[in-house]
Amino acid sequence: MRKGDVCHTTPMRRDIGLRQRYRAEMRFRAYGITAISIGMFFLGVLLWSVFSKGYSAFWQTSLTLNIRFDAAIIDPKNIRDHDSQVLFTANYPLLVRNALAEKLGVPSDDHLALHEVSHMFSSSVRVQLRDLVLGHPQLIGGIQKVTFLASADIDSAFKKQINLAGSETRRKISNRQIEWMHRLSADGSLHRAFNTGLFTLTASNRPETSGLGVALVGSLYMMLIVLVLSLPIGVAAAVYLEEYTHKNRFTDLVEVNINNLASVPSIVFGLLGLAVFVNFFGLPRSTSIVGGLVLTLMTLPTIIIATRSALRAVPPSIRSAALGIGASKTQTVFHHVLPLAVPGIMTGTIIGLAHALGETAPLLLIGMVAFVANYPITPMDPATALPVQIYMWANEAERAFVERTSGAIIVLLVFLILMNIASIVLRRRFERRW
Amino acid sequence: MSGPSVIFSVLLLGSGGFLVSCGWARIIEARGTRMHSRSHYYGWWTFLIVVIPSLVFFIFWSICTNLYLENKASSSCHTTAGDMAQSCSVLVKMAHDLAHKLVLDDHFRNSQEDHDAVLQNILGKRKILFSLDNKEHIVSIAIEWAQRIKKFHMIGTIITFVLAILSCFVGIFSVSPERRSRNRVECVTVFWLMLASSIVILITVGIVLSMLFQTISFFQSVSLANFFFGTVWDPRFSAVDSEEVVGQFGLIPLLAGTLYIAFIAMLFAIPVGLFSAIYLAEYTVPWLRGIIKPLLEILAGIPTIVYGFFALAVLGPFLHDLSIFLASGHAFIMAQSALTAGLVMGIMLVPFVSSLSDDIITAVPRSLRDGSFGLGATQSETIWRVILPAAFPGIVASLLLTASRAIGETMIVVLAAGVVARLTINPFEAMTTITVKIVNQLTGDFEFNSPQTLVAFALGMTLLVLTLLMNIVALYVVRKYREQYE
């Protein structure tokens, strides 16, 4: 008896469309992979486009030259002893132009060339040299080595952001200026340095002299206000809802309100801030105090929700134990439950603050889109915020502002990443599984 | 004594009371008497009764006297300025500023010329071209006002301190073994907690009321039909001398733009987000999931202004150039278009869709999957026929929440969608949304009570109602169709 016969006589498997079904399965997996890759791709493109445009904003082209403080230019009539106004209004850019022209060997009667020379440095030299001379009047007549900013066009050209090979008429910088630029950089007077101005300077209509100073201070004030107001109020509200009350009409009302507030569009909070804080209470517009209050209202629901889930995660045995050894309700909550919930509360607070830091729309409505040239001393002074500054720079037409905008976005993202890392570290380090 | 220093001194006094009561309670305890509460509760009780009544009184007093003085000044202004009610409010405002300057600086009280100088300064700052006919009048009102402020402030400060010192003594002398301080302090604490949680209600009420009042005053100058059924958006800003021409405030083009852009965004976000969620929940190994999920969450953490910049500086020009390339020279996609805004908004929404749906899909119980596999279904068949139907209500709710976010999104559309309100079906043209118009109407210099600015509140109200409706529907869907598994 051969076993093989039996095998041959088994009927063919019934066709149940397995091949088709497996093909559908593969297709389905491919859809999933495609969807995830699309998401990843856009994340990559987004970050790459911001970083590739913005990393160069952290360097700025400067010039270092020996400048002769010619008394004949600063104070031709020699009246500075009794008229201090002269030193304020003197033509300081001319000093720089002359020094640069001398260095480049441009004759003093070639006006066209001189004009091009004076477009190579930033107009901020006026203020810079004025402050220098006002501080040290003995400089007049002498020679002093000064480092000052190059103009935005030279800066872009030096960073190779402008296509220098193209036709001369299609760019803002002439062939002669390019040649000068290369000569200056060869002997070291034109160089790149870390751009501290991006962090310290204030609003300006010139790209090379505008910075995030006011925005950083304004954002800092607002974050402090948000932290100081929303943390105690939010935690108190959450403790009350979670520990003290049973379900009743009041808690239902609060619950519905919290959930609704969390989904109200942020711009509506801006309208609220404008109508209530600015118009009704008469707080000054475009100040960090109003911005901070508006952001507080937006952050409260986040903090309340996070605190409630942190409190819920504390096991009831802790409460029972505390009550069992004679602690009062309040002592139980404040001495035992709340300390155990602190990591969760901190995580929620940091995430709420990170959201508030990146929020723009409500701040536009309360007038933080302002040209603020002076540092705000108190939260009652006009200020801007980091995302609002990005918005304002994004609307500027000049090309060099794109670089600044991307640089500002990088600064904002770095802050957000630091905050998120802090919250992840807190969660990893202190989270307890009961 | 200025306001902050009064508050600071009261706090200082309270801390002093805390220390004394605390120490006193400890001394009694050291003598061997059994106290009802721990010693620091006596201290806290003293602190609370020093600080709370006096500060509440002080703040209440300051607000009331301010209102009273303002009222008085405006009435005396009305009696002299006569029927010019419009200029009267300006006068009162100037007198107010002058009075507060005078209060701050005693030096100015000496001579008439100094008043004039201050007044000029204020006028210069406010950039008001105002004839100074009533100048003496303002100055006299302001001086009177300043004197009254000083007087009232002095009375208020004295009463505050008397109250604080009295309650400090009461607190200290009431330290005794039978006193139930802990219960009292806890009572105050619970009261504070309740107050904090009712602030949330207050915010909602504030939002609704502030919008409602402005909206009502908007509809006093513009008819409801003009707003809700008008198809032309043209709020003229030059309504200075032409009183009748208030412009046209048609909501329809804005609403259409909002919904259209949100639709494009959802068209992108739903498939990408849902398929990512399904793949993450059902197919990936844990370590890969641990990498991809946080990466998608980064996308959710990026501020919307960054997306707006991306749309403005990268995607918009790219699509524009692409259309030039495709149509050989004819750019049919504008640099600012509904497509750009919708696409970028869709990218922003992907992580919302995926993380919400992921939670819902993973919440479907294991037994349903096992049952399906046991019957011989493949994984994708299980997902289509078992898991998705089970998760359907939750997914619909999460999509509605995402859509309400798309409608309320501002920064992307402000930068990428354009400002022209037009009714069109072509996604390659610029469109505008409700949020863009709110921002446009409220940034810049304008008079607050004109319909041109008040329309922003009517738009905001519309937005609020739209998003609330979506949330309510989402809640209803979840409640009604939720399957209960053990």
Side-chain angles (χ1 to χ4, degrees), chain B residues 180-251:
Chain B
R180 301 162 71 82
S181 288
R182 178 175 57 75
N183 305 41
R184 287 161 183 243
V185 171
E186 287 180 356
C187 202
V188 175
T189 317
V190 173
F191 182 71
W192 150 244
L193 295 180
M194 204 171 96
L195 212 65
S197 58
S198 47
I199 281 183
V200 180
I201 301 177
L202 209 68
I203 295 171
T204 317
V205 172
I207 288 181
V208 172
L209 282 189
S210 64
M211 307 271 267
L212 206 62
F213 280 127
Q214 317 287 355
T215 310
I216 287 170
S217 67
F218 168 71
F219 283 123
Q220 276 163 359
S221 52
V222 177
S223 72
L224 280 165
N226 182 343
F227 182 69
F228 282 110
F229 303 113
T231 52
V232 179
W233 174 266
D234 181 23
R236 282 161 219 174
F237 262 109
S238 58
V240 181
D241 36 24
S242 54
E243 286 287 318
E244 286 92 77
V245 182
V246 282
Q248 285 182 289
F249 301 93
L251 175 69

Coordinates of all heavy atoms in Angstrom, one line a residue, chain B residues 180-251:
Chain B
R180 N -11.2 76.7 68.5 CA -11.1 75.8 67.4 C -10.6 76.4 66.2 O -11.2 76.6 65.2 CB -12.5 75.2 67.2 CG -13.1 74.5 68.4 CD -14.6 74.4 68.2 NE -14.9 73.3 67.2 CZ -14.9 72.1 67.5 NH1 -14.7 71.6 68.7 NH2 -15.2 71.2 66.6
S181 N -9.3 76.8 66.3 CA -8.7 77.5 65.2 C -8.5 76.7 63.9 O -8.7 77.2 62.8 CB -7.3 78.0 65.6 OG -7.4 79.0 66.5
R182 N -8.2 75.4 64.1 CA -8.0 74.6 62.8 C -9.2 74.6 62.0 O -9.2 74.8 60.8 CB -7.6 73.2 63.2 CG -7.4 72.3 62.0 CD -6.9 70.9 62.4 NE -7.7 70.3 63.4 CZ -8.9 69.7 63.1 NH1 -9.4 69.8 61.8 NH2 -9.6 69.1 64.0
N183 N -10.4 74.4 62.6 CA -11.6 74.3 61.9 C -11.9 75.6 61.2 O -12.4 75.6 60.0 CB -12.8 74.0 62.8 CG -12.5 72.7 63.6 OD1 -11.4 72.5 64.0 ND2 -13.5 71.9 63.8
R184 N -11.6 76.7 61.9 CA -11.9 78.0 61.2 C -11.0 78.2 60.0 O -11.5 78.6 58.9 CB -11.7 79.1 62.2 CG -12.7 79.2 63.3 CD -12.3 80.0 64.4 NE -13.3 80.0 65.5 CZ -13.9 81.1 65.9 NH1 -13.6 82.3 65.4 NH2 -14.8 81.0 66.8
V185 N -9.7 77.9 60.2 CA -8.8 78.1 59.1 C -9.2 77.2 57.9 O -9.2 77.6 56.7 CB -7.3 77.8 59.5 CG1 -6.4 77.7 58.3 CG2 -6.8 78.8 60.5
E186 N -9.6 76.0 58.2 CA -10.0 75.1 57.1 C -11.2 75.6 56.4 O -11.4 75.4 55.2 CB -10.2 73.7 57.7 CG -8.9 73.0 58.1 CD -9.1 71.6 58.6 OE1 -10.2 71.2 58.8 OE2 -8.0 71.0 58.9
C187 N -12.1 76.2 57.2 CA -13.3 76.7 56.6 C -13.0 77.8 55.6 O -13.5 77.8 54.5 CB -14.2 77.3 57.7 SG -15.9 77.4 57.3
V188 N -12.0 78.7 56.0 CA -11.6 79.7 55.0 C -11.0 79.1 53.8 O -11.2 79.5 52.7 CB -10.7 80.7 55.7 CG1 -10.1 81.7 54.7 CG2 -11.4 81.4 56.9
T189 N -10.1 78.1 54.0 CA -9.5 77.4 52.9 C -10.5 76.9 51.9 O -10.3 77.1 50.7 CB -8.6 76.3 53.4 OG1 -7.9 76.7 54.6 CG2 -7.6 75.8 52.4
V190 N -11.5 76.2 52.4 CA -12.5 75.6 51.5 C -13.2 76.7 50.8 O -13.5 76.5 49.6 CB -13.4 74.7 52.3 CG1 -14.5 74.2 51.4 CG2 -12.7 73.5 52.9
F191 N -13.5 77.8 51.5 CA -14.2 78.9 50.8 C -13.3 79.4 49.6 O -13.8 79.6 48.6 CB -14.4 80.0 51.8 CG -15.2 81.1 51.2 CD1 -16.5 81.0 50.9 CD2 -14.6 82.3 51.0 CE1 -17.2 82.0 50.3 CE2 -15.2 83.4 50.4 CZ -16.6 83.2 50.1
W192 N -12.0 79.5 49.9 CA -11.1 80.0 48.8 C -11.1 79.0 47.6 O -11.1 79.4 46.5 CB -9.7 80.2 49.4 CG -8.6 80.0 48.5 CD1 -7.6 79.1 48.5 CD2 -8.3 80.8 47.3 NE1 -6.8 79.2 47.5 CE2 -7.1 80.2 46.7 CE3 -8.9 81.9 46.7 CZ2 -6.6 80.7 45.5 CZ3 -8.3 82.3 45.5 CH2 -7.2 81.8 45.0
L193 N -11.1 77.7 48.0 CA -11.1 76.7 46.9 C -12.4 76.8 46.0 O -12.3 76.8 44.8 CB -11.0 75.3 47.5 CG -9.7 74.9 48.2 CD1 -9.8 73.5 48.7 CD2 -8.5 75.1 47.3
M194 N -13.5 77.1 46.7 CA -14.7 77.2 46.0 C -14.7 78.4 45.1 O -15.2 78.4 44.0 CB -15.9 77.2 47.0 CG -17.2 76.8 46.4 SD -18.4 76.7 47.7 CE -19.2 78.2 47.6
L195 N -14.2 79.5 45.7 CA -14.1 80.7 44.9 C -13.3 80.5 43.6 O -13.7 81.0 42.6 CB -13.4 81.8 45.8 CG -13.8 83.2 45.6 CD1 -15.3 83.4 46.0 CD2 -13.0 84.1 46.4
A196 N -12.2 79.8 43.8 CA -11.3 79.6 42.6 C -12.0 78.8 41.6 O -11.9 79.1 40.4 CB -10.0 78.8 43.1
S197 N -12.8 77.8 42.0 CA -13.5 77.0 41.0 C -14.6 77.7 40.3 O -15.0 77.5 39.2 CB -13.9 75.6 41.5 OG -14.8 75.8 42.6
S198 N -15.2 78.7 41.0 CA -16.3 79.5 40.4 C -15.7 80.5 39.4 O -16.4 81.1 38.6 CB -17.2 80.1 41.4 OG -16.5 80.7 42.4
I199 N -14.4 80.8 39.5 CA -13.8 81.7 38.5 C -14.0 81.2 37.1 O -14.2 81.9 36.2 CB -12.3 81.9 38.9 CG1 -12.2 82.9 40.0 CG2 -11.5 82.4 37.7 CD1 -10.8 83.2 40.4
V200 N -13.9 79.9 37.0 CA -14.1 79.2 35.7 C -15.4 79.6 35.1 O -15.5 80.0 33.9 CB -13.9 77.7 35.8 CG1 -14.1 77.1 34.4 CG2 -12.6 77.4 36.4
I201 N -16.5 79.6 35.9 CA -17.8 80.0 35.5 C -17.8 81.5 35.1 O -18.3 81.9 34.1 CB -18.9 79.7 36.5 CG1 -18.9 78.3 36.9 CG2 -20.2 80.2 36.1 CD1 -19.8 77.9 38.0
L202 N -17.1 82.2 35.9 CA -17.0 83.7 35.7 C -16.4 84.0 34.3 O -16.8 84.9 33.6 CB -16.2 84.3 36.8 CG -16.5 85.7 37.2 CD1 -17.8 85.8 37.8 CD2 -15.4 86.3 38.1
I203 N -15.3 83.2 34.0 CA -14.7 83.5 32.7 C -15.7 83.2 31.5 O -15.8 84.1 30.6 CB -13.5 82.5 32.5 CG1 -12.4 82.8 33.5 CG2 -12.9 82.7 31.1 CD1 -11.3 81.8 33.5
T204 N -16.4 82.1 31.6 CA -17.4 81.8 30.6 C -18.4 83.0 30.5 O -18.8 83.5 29.4 CB -18.1 80.5 30.8 OG1 -17.2 79.6 31.3 CG2 -18.8 80.0 29.6
V205 N -18.9 83.3 31.7 CA -19.9 84.4 31.7 C -19.3 85.7 31.1 O -20.0 86.4 30.3 CB -20.4 84.7 33.1 CG1 -21.3 85.9 33.2 CG2 -21.2 83.5 33.7
G206 N -18.0 85.9 31.5 CA -17.4 87.1 30.9 C -17.3 87.1 29.4 O -17.6 88.1 28.7
I207 N -16.9 85.9 28.9 CA -16.8 85.8 27.4 C -18.1 86.1 26.8 O -18.3 86.9 25.9 CB -16.3 84.4 27.0 CG1 -14.8 84.2 27.4 CG2 -16.5 84.1 25.6 CD1 -14.3 82.8 27.0
V208 N -19.2 85.4 27.3 CA -20.5 85.5 26.6 C -21.0 86.9 26.8 O -21.4 87.5 25.8 CB -21.5 84.5 27.3 CG1 -22.8 84.7 26.7 CG2 -21.0 83.1 26.9
L209 N -20.9 87.5 28.0 CA -21.4 88.9 28.2 C -20.7 89.9 27.3 O -21.3 90.7 26.7 CB -21.4 89.3 29.6 CG -22.5 88.6 30.5 CD1 -22.4 89.3 31.9 CD2 -23.8 88.8 29.9
S210 N -19.4 89.8 27.4 CA -18.6 90.9 26.6 C -19.0 90.8 25.2 O -19.1 91.9 24.5 CB -17.1 90.7 26.9 OG -16.7 89.5 26.3
M211 N -19.1 89.6 24.6 CA -19.4 89.5 23.2 C -20.8 89.9 23.0 O -21.1 90.6 22.0 CB -19.3 88.0 22.8 CG -17.9 87.4 23.1 SD -16.8 87.7 21.8 CE -17.0 86.2 21.0
L212 N -21.7 89.6 23.9 CA -23.1 89.8 23.7 C -23.4 91.4 23.6 O -24.0 91.9 22.7 CB -23.9 89.2 24.8 CG -25.3 88.9 24.5 CD1 -25.4 87.8 23.4 CD2 -26.0 88.3 25.7
F213 N -22.8 92.1 24.6 CA -23.1 93.5 24.6 C -22.6 94.2 23.4 O -23.3 95.0 22.8 CB -22.4 94.2 25.9 CG -23.2 94.0 27.1 CD1 -22.6 93.4 28.3 CD2 -24.5 94.3 27.2 CE1 -23.3 93.2 29.4 CE2 -25.3 94.2 28.3 CZ -24.7 93.6 29.4
Q214 N -21.3 93.9 23.0 CA -20.8 94.5 21.8 C -21.6 94.1 20.5 O -21.8 94.9 19.7 CB -19.3 94.1 21.6 CG -18.5 94.2 22.8 CD -18.2 95.6 23.3 OE1 -18.5 96.5 22.7 NE2 -17.6 95.7 24.5
T215 N -22.0 92.8 20.5 CA -22.8 92.4 19.4 C -24.1 93.1 19.3 O -24.5 93.6 18.2 CB -23.0 90.9 19.5 OG1 -21.8 90.2 19.7 CG2 -23.6 90.3 18.2
I216 N -24.7 93.3 20.4 CA -26.0 94.0 20.5 C -25.8 95.4 20.0 O -26.6 95.9 19.1 CB -26.6 94.0 21.9 CG1 -27.2 92.6 22.2 CG2 -27.8 95.0 22.0 CD1 -27.6 92.4 23.6
S217 N -24.8 96.1 20.4 CA -24.6 97.5 20.0 C -24.2 97.5 18.5 O -24.4 98.5 17.9 CB -23.6 98.2 20.9 OG -22.3 97.7 20.7
F218 N -23.6 96.4 18.0 CA -23.3 96.4 16.6 C -24.7 96.3 15.8 O -24.9 97.0 14.8 CB -22.5 95.2 16.2 CG -22.4 94.9 14.8 CD1 -21.7 95.7 13.9 CD2 -23.0 93.8 14.2 CE1 -21.6 95.5 12.6 CE2 -22.9 93.5 12.9 CZ -22.2 94.3 12.1
F219 N -25.6 95.5 16.3 CA -26.8 95.3 15.6 C -27.8 96.5 15.7 O -28.8 96.5 15.1 CB -27.5 94.0 16.0 CG -26.9 92.8 15.3 CD1 -26.4 91.8 16.1 CD2 -26.8 92.7 14.0 CE1 -25.8 90.7 15.5 CE2 -26.2 91.6 13.4 CZ -25.7 90.6 14.2
Q220 N -27.4 97.4 16.5 CA -28.2 98.7 16.6 C -27.9 99.5 15.4 O -28.8 100.3 15.0 CB -27.9 99.4 17.9 CG -28.8 98.9 19.0 CD -28.2 99.3 20.4 OE1 -27.2 100.0 20.4 NE2 -28.9 98.9 21.4
S221 N -26.7 99.4 14.8 CA -26.4 100.2 13.6 C -26.5 99.4 12.3 O -26.6 100.0 11.3 CB -25.1 100.9 13.8 OG -24.1 100.0 14.1
V222 N -26.4 98.1 12.4 CA -26.5 97.3 11.2 C -27.6 96.3 11.4 O -27.7 95.7 12.5 CB -25.1 96.6 11.0 CG1 -25.2 95.7 9.8 CG2 -24.0 97.6 10.8
S223 N -28.4 96.1 10.3 CA -29.5 95.2 10.5 C -29.0 93.7 10.5 O -28.0 93.4 10.0 CB -30.5 95.4 9.4 OG -30.0 94.9 8.2
L224 N -29.8 92.9 11.1 CA -29.5 91.5 11.2 C -29.4 90.8 9.8 O -28.5 90.0 9.5 CB -30.6 90.7 12.0 CG -30.6 90.8 13.5 CD1 -31.9 90.4 14.1 CD2 -29.4 90.0 14.0
A225 N -30.3 91.3 8.9 CA -30.3 90.7 7.5 C -29.1 91.1 6.8 O -28.5 90.2 6.1 CB -31.6 91.2 6.8
N226 N -28.6 92.3 7.0 CA -27.4 92.8 6.3 C -26.2 91.9 6.7 O -25.4 91.5 5.9 CB -27.1 94.2 6.7 CG -25.9 94.8 6.1 OD1 -25.1 94.1 5.6 ND2 -25.8 96.1 6.1
F227 N -26.2 91.5 8.0 CA -25.1 90.7 8.5 C -25.2 89.3 8.1 O -24.3 88.7 7.6 CB -25.0 90.9 10.0 CG -23.8 90.1 10.6 CD1 -22.5 90.5 10.4 CD2 -24.1 89.0 11.4 CE1 -21.5 89.9 11.0 CE2 -23.0 88.3 12.0 CZ -21.7 88.8 11.8
F228 N -26.3 88.7 8.4 CA -26.4 87.2 8.2 C -26.6 86.8 6.8 O -26.2 85.7 6.4 CB -27.5 86.6 9.1 CG -27.1 86.5 10.5 CD1 -27.6 87.3 11.5 CD2 -26.1 85.6 10.9 CE1 -27.2 87.2 12.8 CE2 -25.7 85.5 12.2 CZ -26.3 86.3 13.2
F229 N -27.3 87.6 6.0 CA -27.6 87.2 4.6 C -26.9 88.0 3.6 O -27.1 87.8 2.4 CB -29.1 87.2 4.4 CG -29.9 86.4 5.4 CD1 -30.7 86.9 6.3 CD2 -29.7 85.0 5.4 CE1 -31.3 86.2 7.3 CE2 -30.3 84.2 6.3 CZ -31.2 84.8 7.3
G230 N -26.1 89.0 4.0 CA -25.4 89.8 3.0 C -24.3 89.0 2.4 O -23.6 88.2 3.0
T231 N -24.1 89.2 1.1 CA -23.1 88.5 0.4 C -21.9 89.4 0.0 O -21.0 88.9 -0.6 CB -23.7 87.9 -1.0 OG1 -24.3 88.9 -1.7 CG2 -24.7 86.8 -0.7
V232 N -21.9 90.6 0.5 CA -20.8 91.5 0.2 C -20.2 91.9 1.5 O -20.9 92.4 2.4 CB -21.3 92.7 -0.6 CG1 -20.1 93.7 -0.9 CG2 -21.9 92.3 -1.9
W233 N -18.9 91.8 1.6 CA -18.2 92.3 2.8 C -17.4 93.5 2.4 O -16.4 93.4 1.6 CB -17.2 91.2 3.3 CG -16.4 91.6 4.4 CD1 -15.1 92.1 4.3 CD2 -16.7 91.7 5.8 NE1 -14.6 92.5 5.5 CE2 -15.6 92.2 6.4 CE3 -17.8 91.3 6.5 CZ2 -15.6 92.4 7.8 CZ3 -17.8 91.5 7.9 CH2 -16.7 92.0 8.5
D234 N -17.8 94.7 2.9 CA -17.1 95.9 2.5 C -17.3 96.9 3.6 O -18.1 97.9 3.5 CB -17.7 96.4 1.2 CG -17.0 97.7 0.7 OD1 -15.8 97.9 1.2 OD2 -17.6 98.5 0.0
P235 N -16.7 96.7 4.8 CA -16.9 97.6 5.9 C -16.0 98.9 5.6 O -14.8 98.8 5.9 CB -16.4 96.9 7.1 CG -15.5 95.9 6.5 CD -15.8 95.7 5.1
R236 N -16.6 99.9 5.1 CA -15.8 101.1 4.8 C -15.2 101.7 6.1 O -15.9 101.8 7.1 CB -16.6 102.1 4.1 CG -16.7 101.7 2.6 CD -17.9 102.4 2.0 NE -18.5 101.4 1.1 CZ -19.6 101.7 0.4 NH1 -20.2 102.9 0.6 NH2 -20.1 100.8 -0.3
F237 N -14.0 102.1 6.0 CA -13.4 102.7 7.2 C -13.5 104.2 7.2 O -13.3 104.8 8.3 CB -11.9 102.3 7.3 CG -11.7 101.1 8.2 CD1 -11.3 99.9 7.7 CD2 -11.9 101.3 9.6 CE1 -11.1 98.8 8.6 CE2 -11.7 100.2 10.4 CZ -11.3 99.0 9.9
S238 N -13.9 104.8 6.1 CA -13.9 106.2 6.0 C -15.3 106.8 6.4 O -15.9 107.6 5.6 CB -13.5 106.7 4.6 OG -14.4 106.1 3.7
A239 N -15.9 106.3 7.4 CA -17.2 106.7 7.8 C -17.2 107.9 8.7 O -17.9 108.0 9.7 CB -18.0 105.6 8.4
V240 N -16.3 108.9 8.4 CA -16.2 110.0 9.3 C -17.3 111.0 9.1 O -18.0 111.4 10.0 CB -14.8 110.7 9.1 CG1 -14.7 111.9 10.1 CG2 -13.7 109.7 9.4
D241 N -17.5 111.4 7.8 CA -18.5 112.5 7.5 C -19.7 111.9 6.9 O -20.8 112.5 6.9 CB -17.9 113.6 6.7 CG -16.9 113.1 5.6 OD1 -17.0 111.9 5.3 OD2 -16.1 113.8 5.2
S242 N -19.6 110.7 6.3 CA -20.8 110.1 5.7 C -21.5 109.2 6.8 O -21.1 108.0 6.9 CB -20.5 109.4 4.5 OG -19.5 108.4 4.8
E243 N -22.5 109.7 7.4 CA -23.1 109.0 8.6 C -23.9 107.8 8.1 O -24.0 106.8 8.7 CB -24.0 109.9 9.4 CG -23.2 110.9 10.3 CD -22.6 110.2 11.5 OE1 -23.2 109.4 12.1 OE2 -21.4 110.5 11.8
E244 N -24.5 108.0 6.9 CA -25.4 106.9 6.4 C -24.7 105.7 5.9 O -25.1 104.6 6.1 CB -26.4 107.5 5.3 CG -27.5 108.4 5.9 CD -27.0 109.9 5.8 OE1 -27.1 110.4 4.7 OE2 -26.6 110.4 6.9
V245 N -23.6 106.0 5.2 CA -22.9 104.9 4.6 C -22.1 104.2 5.7 O -21.0 104.6 6.2 CB -21.9 105.4 3.6 CG1 -21.2 104.2 2.9 CG2 -22.6 106.2 2.5
V246 N -22.6 103.0 6.2 CA -21.9 102.3 7.2 C -21.1 101.1 6.6 O -20.5 100.4 7.3 CB -22.9 101.8 8.3 CG1 -23.2 102.9 9.2 CG2 -24.1 101.1 7.7
G247 N -21.2 100.9 5.3 CA -20.6 99.8 4.7 C -21.4 98.5 4.8 O -22.5 98.5 5.3
Q248 N -21.0 97.5 4.1 CA -21.8 96.3 4.1 C -21.0 95.2 4.8 O -19.8 95.0 4.6 CB -22.0 95.9 2.6 CG -23.0 96.7 2.0 CD -23.3 96.3 0.6 OE1 -22.4 96.5 -0.3 NE2 -24.4 95.7 0.3
F249 N -21.8 94.5 5.7 CA -21.1 93.5 6.5 C -21.8 92.1 6.3 O -22.5 91.6 7.1 CB -21.4 93.9 8.0 CG -20.8 95.2 8.4 CD1 -21.6 96.3 8.4 CD2 -19.5 95.3 8.8 CE1 -21.0 97.5 8.7 CE2 -18.9 96.5 9.2 CZ -19.7 97.6 9.1
G250 N -21.5 91.6 5.1 CA -22.1 90.3 4.8 C -21.3 89.2 5.3 O -20.1 89.0 5.0
L251 N -21.9 88.3 6.1 CA -21.2 87.2 6.7 C -20.9 86.1 5.8 O -19.9 85.4 5.9 CB -22.0 86.7 7.9 CG -21.5 85.5 8.7 CD1 -20.3 85.8 9.5 CD2 -22.6 85.0 9.6

